[in-house]
Amino acid sequence: MTMEAGSVTETLEDKQTSGTGDASKDGANKQPNPNQNPKDAKPAPERKRARNLSEDRRFKLFSGTANRPLSEEIGRHIGVPVGEVKLQRFADGEVYFQLLENVRGVDVFVVQPTCYPVDQNLMELLVMIDALKRASAARITAVVPYYGYARQDRKDRPRVAISAKLIADLLTTAGAHRALFVDLHAAQIQGFFNIPVDHMFASPVLVSHFRSLALPNLTVVSPDAGGVERARHFAQKMGAPLAIVDKRRTDINVAEVMNVVGDVAGKTALIIDDIIDTAGTLVKTVDALYANGAAAVYACASHAVLSGPAVERIANSRIEQVVVTNTIPLREAAQKLPKIKVLSIAGLLGAAIESIHMETSVSTLFS
């Protein structure tokens, strides 16, 4: 059902949470007994979360338009449908958002990657969080599978913005109480937030896939010095040696590969990265590895941004396969390219969301 702006309705759930609904069960409407000793007074019973999220009225999942299929898949994993909303845009592109469900006192999770179009999807997320805050949600968790502006996390040149910090401030100001991210470009971005942050990794899904392939003489490769820690962790999980490609970036989205540090001759090289954007770095890394004697080259990344000529570059390269996750919906051209394989992280995100709601350890998902 879609509600027109300005209309006022009262749902069954609204009635249950007002008057003699949940408030009366918790003793919120009871008048104190003047003859009762305060020491003998019993505290109001605490609302307990249901063990099954599908039965928990204090939990709801909402989605923006950036990656609705991922949100729905997460909902299927945890047994909860995506909440009903009205999300439209005015003729000039201004976003209009309205909740069509009661969220008063509810633990809410809103899923929205800030992928292309980045600014539009970011603004949509901020408006959704603001609406949830004003609707009296008890806690709002921003689930951002892909964190846009993460590459601008420091002043690497004079007079540039630290945009990753700005986005953190915007999410907090909008009303998010905590955040859940997948493979941040730099782990220290967590420190930009003054709210709790859970940092997930897609590596369990990716490692499982490449273990099933049983690639011979495997060597894990970091495409630059900044990704060494990520590649080292992956290499440990795969029981494989590590190599590093020395890369010199000459401009935005322009990179020049210099040389390979490590032995890749006769080996199957697996490039590990967090983001594939224009694929310029990727194809130059592939060429450098083959030039150093690699027998075959594969690649994997958490976020398939794949902007500009990325798909064409991958199609024309000598790479065997590029494995990515569905944090970002693939463009149609990428979906048609056999070299690109997509793995789902919906189960991993669903488990993390359930752990956050139940207040259990998220880190156990990676142990």
Side-chain angles (χ1 to χ4, degrees):
M1 180 184 71
T2 300
M3 294 168 53
E4 295 298 325
S7 63
V8 178
T9 63
E10 187 179 22
T11 64
L12 176 60
E13 192 170 11
D14 289 327
K15 294 177 181 178
Q16 290 174 332
T17 55
S18 61
T20 59
D22 290 342
S24 62
K25 291 180 182 179
D26 289 350
N29 294 329
K30 283 187 177 182
Q31 297 298 321
N33 184 352
N35 298 322
Q36 186 179 29
N37 190 329
K39 294 182 180 180
D40 298 332
K42 295 182 179 180
E46 181 184 356
R47 290 192 180 102
K48 294 184 178 180
R49 297 184 173 102
R51 295 302 301 178
N52 187 344
L53 290 185
S54 63
E55 300 172 357
D56 195 339
R57 293 181 57 202
R58 297 291 168 185
F59 173 92
K60 287 192 178 180
L61 177 72
F62 290 95
S63 173
T65 61
N67 197 347
R68 177 82 182 192
L70 174 60
S71 304
E72 292 176 347
E73 191 177 350
I74 291 171
R76 289 193 293 271
H77 274 278
I78 61 179
V80 175
V82 177
E84 294 295 324
V85 303
K86 181 177 181 180
L87 210 164
Q88 297 178 334
R89 292 191 176 272
F90 291 97
D92 64 351
E94 184 179 316
V95 64
Y96 171 83
F97 177 79
Q98 180 186 14
L99 292 158
L100 301 183
E101 298 185 12
N102 176 35
V103 296
R104 186 178 298 275
V106 173
D107 190 10
V108 176
F109 292 77
V110 54
V111 182
Q112 175 83 335
T114 51
C115 51
Y116 178 85
V118 179
D119 298 344
Q120 179 174 306
N121 286 328
L122 172 61
M123 193 65 204
E124 189 176 293
L125 175 60
L126 296 174
V127 171
M128 293 172 68
I129 293 172
D130 183 74
L132 289 163
K133 175 181 67 176
R134 297 177 189 281
S136 301
R139 185 174 68 175
I140 304 166
T141 301
V143 181
V144 187
Y146 172 69
Y147 187 82
Y149 289 98
R151 287 170 284 185
Q152 302 179 52
D153 63 329
R154 64 196 182 281
K155 286 192 68 174
D156 55 350
R157 297 182 183 182
R159 299 173 296 280
V160 297
I162 304 180
S163 304
K165 167 61 175 169
L166 172 62
I167 303 307
D169 291 342
L170 289 173
L171 289 171
T172 305
T173 302
H177 296 102
R178 65 185 306 132
L180 172 62
F181 302 121
V182 177
D183 275 317
L184 289 168
H185 185 64
Q188 61 265 26
I189 289 175
Q190 298 172 80
F192 292 167
F193 288 83
N194 292 323
I195 57 175
V197 171
D198 289 293
H199 187 199
M200 302 291 294
F201 301 95
S203 55
V205 175
L206 296 171
V207 166
S208 177
H209 171 74
F210 282 102
R211 278 178 176 168
S212 68
L213 295 182
L215 300 175
N217 298 321
L218 182 66
T219 295
V220 174
V221 179
S222 172
D224 53 34
V228 170
E229 189 62 34
R230 182 185 304 107
R232 181 184 292 116
H233 174 76
F234 204 98
Q236 289 174 345
K237 292 290 186 181
M238 295 294 295
L242 176 68
I244 304 169
V245 175
D246 177 33
K247 179 186 71 174
R248 180 177 298 172
R249 186 172 293 280
T250 58
D251 203 349
I252 296 175
N253 288 334
V254 178
E256 179 184 355
V257 172
M258 301 300 291
N259 52 38
V260 177
V261 181
D263 180 21
V264 296
K267 304 289 185 66
T268 301
L270 174 57
I271 304 168
I272 307 296
D273 212 345
D274 62 323
I275 299 172
I276 300 177
D277 191 353
T278 62
T281 296
L282 176 63
V283 297
K284 289 180 179 180
T285 302
V286 171
D287 292 341
L289 291 170
Y290 276 118
N292 281 264
V297 180
Y298 291 74
C300 68
S302 304
H303 312 299
V305 176
L306 301 180
S307 55
V311 175
E312 183 180 357
R313 284 174 172 172
I314 292 172
N316 296 332
S317 72
R318 297 173 62 189
I319 197 164
E320 299 287 337
Q321 187 182 61
V322 177
V323 180
V324 297
T325 73
N326 59 345
T327 58
I328 298 174
L330 285 189
R331 294 159 44 192
E332 185 177 354
Q335 294 176 12
K336 294 179 179 178
L337 186 62
K339 284 186 177 181
I340 299 177
K341 180 178 179 59
V342 182
L343 304 178
S344 177
I345 61 163
L348 196 62
L349 281 173
I353 288 171
E354 190 169 12
S355 292
I356 293 169
H357 177 66
M358 299 303 299
E359 298 177 357
T360 59
S361 174
V362 174
S363 62
T364 56
L365 297 174
F366 304 100
S367 60

PDB file of all heavy atoms in Angstrom, residues 129-147:
ATOM      1  N   ILE A 129      17.750   7.636   7.194  1.00  0.00           N
ATOM      2  CA  ILE A 129      18.139   7.624   8.609  1.00  0.00           C
ATOM      3  C   ILE A 129      17.422   8.734   9.372  1.00  0.00           C
ATOM      4  O   ILE A 129      16.941   8.524  10.496  1.00  0.00           O
ATOM      5  CB  ILE A 129      19.663   7.772   8.742  1.00  0.00           C
ATOM      6  CG1 ILE A 129      20.367   6.531   8.179  1.00  0.00           C
ATOM      7  CG2 ILE A 129      20.077   7.987  10.197  1.00  0.00           C
ATOM      8  CD1 ILE A 129      21.871   6.658   8.098  1.00  0.00           C
ATOM      9  N   ASP A 130      17.334   9.911   8.775  1.00  0.00           N
ATOM     10  CA  ASP A 130      16.649  11.026   9.429  1.00  0.00           C
ATOM     11  C   ASP A 130      15.180  10.702   9.667  1.00  0.00           C
ATOM     12  O   ASP A 130      14.630  10.995  10.742  1.00  0.00           O
ATOM     13  CB  ASP A 130      16.775  12.295   8.574  1.00  0.00           C
ATOM     14  CG  ASP A 130      16.147  13.505   9.235  1.00  0.00           C
ATOM     15  OD1 ASP A 130      16.742  14.034  10.191  1.00  0.00           O
ATOM     16  OD2 ASP A 130      15.033  13.909   8.820  1.00  0.00           O
ATOM     17  N   ALA A 131      14.532  10.079   8.681  1.00  0.00           N
ATOM     18  CA  ALA A 131      13.124   9.711   8.839  1.00  0.00           C
ATOM     19  C   ALA A 131      12.950   8.696   9.961  1.00  0.00           C
ATOM     20  O   ALA A 131      12.007   8.782  10.763  1.00  0.00           O
ATOM     21  CB  ALA A 131      12.580   9.154   7.524  1.00  0.00           C
ATOM     22  N   LEU A 132      13.856   7.726  10.051  1.00  0.00           N
ATOM     23  CA  LEU A 132      13.789   6.719  11.112  1.00  0.00           C
ATOM     24  C   LEU A 132      13.984   7.352  12.479  1.00  0.00           C
ATOM     25  O   LEU A 132      13.310   7.000  13.450  1.00  0.00           O
ATOM     26  CB  LEU A 132      14.845   5.638  10.864  1.00  0.00           C
ATOM     27  CG  LEU A 132      14.586   4.706   9.683  1.00  0.00           C
ATOM     28  CD1 LEU A 132      15.852   3.973   9.290  1.00  0.00           C
ATOM     29  CD2 LEU A 132      13.479   3.709  10.019  1.00  0.00           C
ATOM     30  N   LYS A 133      14.916   8.297  12.560  1.00  0.00           N
ATOM     31  CA  LYS A 133      15.161   8.999  13.828  1.00  0.00           C
ATOM     32  C   LYS A 133      13.914   9.751  14.274  1.00  0.00           C
ATOM     33  O   LYS A 133      13.523   9.690  15.447  1.00  0.00           O
ATOM     34  CB  LYS A 133      16.338   9.959  13.655  1.00  0.00           C
ATOM     35  CG  LYS A 133      16.620  10.831  14.883  1.00  0.00           C
ATOM     36  CD  LYS A 133      17.776  11.778  14.618  1.00  0.00           C
ATOM     37  CE  LYS A 133      17.427  12.827  13.577  1.00  0.00           C
ATOM     38  NZ  LYS A 133      18.523  13.813  13.380  1.00  0.00           N
ATOM     39  N   ARG A 134      13.284  10.454  13.337  1.00  0.00           N
ATOM     40  CA  ARG A 134      12.101  11.258  13.670  1.00  0.00           C
ATOM     41  C   ARG A 134      10.867  10.401  13.918  1.00  0.00           C
ATOM     42  O   ARG A 134       9.887  10.870  14.494  1.00  0.00           O
ATOM     43  CB  ARG A 134      11.843  12.290  12.574  1.00  0.00           C
ATOM     44  CG  ARG A 134      12.991  13.281  12.434  1.00  0.00           C
ATOM     45  CD  ARG A 134      12.778  14.272  11.297  1.00  0.00           C
ATOM     46  NE  ARG A 134      13.984  15.054  11.059  1.00  0.00           N
ATOM     47  CZ  ARG A 134      14.374  16.088  11.783  1.00  0.00           C
ATOM     48  NH1 ARG A 134      13.639  16.479  12.810  1.00  0.00           N
ATOM     49  NH2 ARG A 134      15.486  16.740  11.494  1.00  0.00           N
ATOM     50  N   ALA A 135      10.936   9.128  13.493  1.00  0.00           N
ATOM     51  CA  ALA A 135       9.840   8.194  13.771  1.00  0.00           C
ATOM     52  C   ALA A 135      10.073   7.425  15.065  1.00  0.00           C
ATOM     53  O   ALA A 135       9.365   6.471  15.355  1.00  0.00           O
ATOM     54  CB  ALA A 135       9.681   7.216  12.607  1.00  0.00           C
ATOM     55  N   SER A 136      11.089   7.844  15.842  1.00  0.00           N
ATOM     56  CA  SER A 136      11.360   7.301  17.182  1.00  0.00           C
ATOM     57  C   SER A 136      11.858   5.864  17.180  1.00  0.00           C
ATOM     58  O   SER A 136      11.544   5.079  18.081  1.00  0.00           O
ATOM     59  CB  SER A 136      10.115   7.415  18.074  1.00  0.00           C
ATOM     60  OG  SER A 136       9.718   8.762  18.202  1.00  0.00           O
ATOM     61  N   ALA A 137      12.641   5.490  16.159  1.00  0.00           N
ATOM     62  CA  ALA A 137      13.295   4.175  16.205  1.00  0.00           C
ATOM     63  C   ALA A 137      14.243   4.131  17.397  1.00  0.00           C
ATOM     64  O   ALA A 137      14.926   5.108  17.706  1.00  0.00           O
ATOM     65  CB  ALA A 137      14.061   3.932  14.909  1.00  0.00           C
ATOM     66  N   ALA A 138      14.283   3.010  18.088  1.00  0.00           N
ATOM     67  CA  ALA A 138      15.121   2.891  19.286  1.00  0.00           C
ATOM     68  C   ALA A 138      16.599   2.919  18.933  1.00  0.00           C
ATOM     69  O   ALA A 138      17.406   3.538  19.631  1.00  0.00           O
ATOM     70  CB  ALA A 138      14.786   1.599  20.026  1.00  0.00           C
ATOM     71  N   ARG A 139      16.963   2.237  17.855  1.00  0.00           N
ATOM     72  CA  ARG A 139      18.356   2.213  17.410  1.00  0.00           C
ATOM     73  C   ARG A 139      18.384   2.056  15.899  1.00  0.00           C
ATOM     74  O   ARG A 139      17.613   1.281  15.327  1.00  0.00           O
ATOM     75  CB  ARG A 139      19.129   1.063  18.070  1.00  0.00           C
ATOM     76  CG  ARG A 139      20.617   1.059  17.724  1.00  0.00           C
ATOM     77  CD  ARG A 139      21.391   0.007  18.507  1.00  0.00           C
ATOM     78  NE  ARG A 139      21.021  -1.346  18.113  1.00  0.00           N
ATOM     79  CZ  ARG A 139      21.615  -2.438  18.583  1.00  0.00           C
ATOM     80  NH1 ARG A 139      22.583  -2.336  19.483  1.00  0.00           N
ATOM     81  NH2 ARG A 139      21.241  -3.627  18.184  1.00  0.00           N
ATOM     82  N   ILE A 140      19.252   2.807  15.248  1.00  0.00           N
ATOM     83  CA  ILE A 140      19.365   2.783  13.790  1.00  0.00           C
ATOM     84  C   ILE A 140      20.774   2.345  13.426  1.00  0.00           C
ATOM     85  O   ILE A 140      21.752   2.989  13.809  1.00  0.00           O
ATOM     86  CB  ILE A 140      19.077   4.164  13.177  1.00  0.00           C
ATOM     87  CG1 ILE A 140      17.704   4.673  13.614  1.00  0.00           C
ATOM     88  CG2 ILE A 140      19.171   4.107  11.653  1.00  0.00           C
ATOM     89  CD1 ILE A 140      17.492   6.162  13.339  1.00  0.00           C
ATOM     90  N   THR A 141      20.876   1.245  12.695  1.00  0.00           N
ATOM     91  CA  THR A 141      22.166   0.764  12.220  1.00  0.00           C
ATOM     92  C   THR A 141      22.230   0.940  10.712  1.00  0.00           C
ATOM     93  O   THR A 141      21.403   0.394   9.984  1.00  0.00           O
ATOM     94  CB  THR A 141      22.391  -0.714  12.579  1.00  0.00           C
ATOM     95  OG1 THR A 141      22.323  -0.872  13.999  1.00  0.00           O
ATOM     96  CG2 THR A 141      23.750  -1.195  12.088  1.00  0.00           C
ATOM     97  N   ALA A 142      23.195   1.726  10.249  1.00  0.00           N
ATOM     98  CA  ALA A 142      23.407   1.907   8.813  1.00  0.00           C
ATOM     99  C   ALA A 142      24.263   0.753   8.298  1.00  0.00           C
ATOM    100  O   ALA A 142      25.427   0.611   8.688  1.00  0.00           O
ATOM    101  CB  ALA A 142      24.098   3.242   8.543  1.00  0.00           C
ATOM    102  N   VAL A 143      23.680  -0.082   7.456  1.00  0.00           N
ATOM    103  CA  VAL A 143      24.406  -1.205   6.848  1.00  0.00           C
ATOM    104  C   VAL A 143      24.852  -0.746   5.466  1.00  0.00           C
ATOM    105  O   VAL A 143      24.048  -0.628   4.549  1.00  0.00           O
ATOM    106  CB  VAL A 143      23.517  -2.460   6.756  1.00  0.00           C
ATOM    107  CG1 VAL A 143      24.301  -3.621   6.157  1.00  0.00           C
ATOM    108  CG2 VAL A 143      22.962  -2.826   8.125  1.00  0.00           C
ATOM    109  N   VAL A 144      26.139  -0.452   5.338  1.00  0.00           N
ATOM    110  CA  VAL A 144      26.679   0.129   4.106  1.00  0.00           C
ATOM    111  C   VAL A 144      27.680  -0.865   3.509  1.00  0.00           C
ATOM    112  O   VAL A 144      28.879  -0.825   3.846  1.00  0.00           O
ATOM    113  CB  VAL A 144      27.356   1.491   4.380  1.00  0.00           C
ATOM    114  CG1 VAL A 144      27.760   2.169   3.078  1.00  0.00           C
ATOM    115  CG2 VAL A 144      26.421   2.392   5.181  1.00  0.00           C
ATOM    116  N   PRO A 145      27.224  -1.765   2.646  1.00  0.00           N
ATOM    117  CA  PRO A 145      28.141  -2.774   2.095  1.00  0.00           C
ATOM    118  C   PRO A 145      29.321  -2.173   1.341  1.00  0.00           C
ATOM    119  O   PRO A 145      30.417  -2.741   1.361  1.00  0.00           O
ATOM    120  CB  PRO A 145      27.234  -3.578   1.150  1.00  0.00           C
ATOM    121  CG  PRO A 145      25.856  -3.389   1.692  1.00  0.00           C
ATOM    122  CD  PRO A 145      25.836  -1.994   2.218  1.00  0.00           C
ATOM    123  N   TYR A 146      29.093  -1.030   0.669  1.00  0.00           N
ATOM    124  CA  TYR A 146      30.184  -0.322   0.006  1.00  0.00           C
ATOM    125  C   TYR A 146      30.180   1.125   0.478  1.00  0.00           C
ATOM    126  O   TYR A 146      29.195   1.832   0.317  1.00  0.00           O
ATOM    127  CB  TYR A 146      30.039  -0.384  -1.516  1.00  0.00           C
ATOM    128  CG  TYR A 146      31.039   0.503  -2.238  1.00  0.00           C
ATOM    129  CD1 TYR A 146      32.392   0.203  -2.236  1.00  0.00           C
ATOM    130  CD2 TYR A 146      30.616   1.652  -2.906  1.00  0.00           C
ATOM    131  CE1 TYR A 146      33.317   1.017  -2.873  1.00  0.00           C
ATOM    132  CE2 TYR A 146      31.533   2.467  -3.556  1.00  0.00           C
ATOM    133  CZ  TYR A 146      32.881   2.149  -3.541  1.00  0.00           C
ATOM    134  OH  TYR A 146      33.782   2.958  -4.179  1.00  0.00           O
ATOM    135  N   TYR A 147      31.296   1.538   1.068  1.00  0.00           N
ATOM    136  CA  TYR A 147      31.425   2.878   1.642  1.00  0.00           C
ATOM    137  C   TYR A 147      32.077   3.806   0.623  1.00  0.00           C
ATOM    138  O   TYR A 147      33.297   3.775   0.421  1.00  0.00           O
ATOM    139  CB  TYR A 147      32.270   2.791   2.920  1.00  0.00           C
ATOM    140  CG  TYR A 147      32.370   4.067   3.730  1.00  0.00           C
ATOM    141  CD1 TYR A 147      31.361   4.422   4.614  1.00  0.00           C
ATOM    142  CD2 TYR A 147      33.487   4.894   3.638  1.00  0.00           C
ATOM    143  CE1 TYR A 147      31.453   5.566   5.390  1.00  0.00           C
ATOM    144  CE2 TYR A 147      33.593   6.047   4.408  1.00  0.00           C
ATOM    145  CZ  TYR A 147      32.569   6.378   5.280  1.00  0.00           C
ATOM    146  OH  TYR A 147      32.668   7.521   6.035  1.00  0.00           O
TER     147      TYR A 147
END
